[in-house]
Amino acid sequence: MQEGTFTSLGDCAVTDPWNDLSELLAAGDRSALTEPCPVRDVLDRIGDKWSVLVIALLGDGPMRFMELKRAIGLVSQRMLTQTVRALERDGLVTRTVHPVVPPRVDYELTDVGRGLQGILAQLAHWSFAHRDDVAAARARYDRLVDAEV
């Protein structure tokens, strides 16, 4: 692959994945949305609500499993375990087991995870700044839909 070339959502070499995706969709080609692709796998991971919360919490520094669970609240132990394992597998989180009784396990962002945490912080900032706009748009939409029914 040449320098400056990316992999598109459809897993083909392109220079601008977002333009190519728009062109494929305009031509009626939906394969880029349905075929397996490493980019979609990454987007699925960071689009998961529990992953986003874990990454945000670990942005302040390492945490133990139960600290994460208490801070998140509604997540089950099983779901949190799956989430941190997936984040570890993806190279976003490291897991350190301390040889003490009872066992102590700390989770911490990797350099890659810290880079993502910065991007997610920007998304959170945008969300906070535009929450009223989104709420107003939803209310307008719901009124239109209700009026059509």
Side-chain angles (χ1 to χ4, degrees), residues 2-72:
Q2 291 181 320
E3 186 176 334
T5 301
F6 301 98
T7 301
S8 79
L9 296 178
D11 203 24
C12 58
V14 296
T15 55
D16 185 346
W18 305 115
N19 267 348
D20 275 24
L21 178 61
S22 297
E23 290 172 14
L24 288 171
L25 294 176
D29 183 354
R30 301 279 188 254
S31 64
L33 299 174
T34 58
E35 293 177 1
C37 171
V39 173
R40 286 191 60 212
D41 289 344
V42 172
L43 292 174
D44 287 345
R45 170 71 49 238
I46 62 176
D48 171 78
K49 69 179 178 179
W50 302 123
S51 294
V52 170
L53 290 172
V54 168
I55 291 166
L57 288 167
L58 293 177
D60 292 333
M63 293 180 79
R64 295 173 72 176
F65 184 87
M66 289 310 291
E67 290 174 319
L68 281 169
K69 185 163 181 348
R70 277 191 297 275
I72 294 172

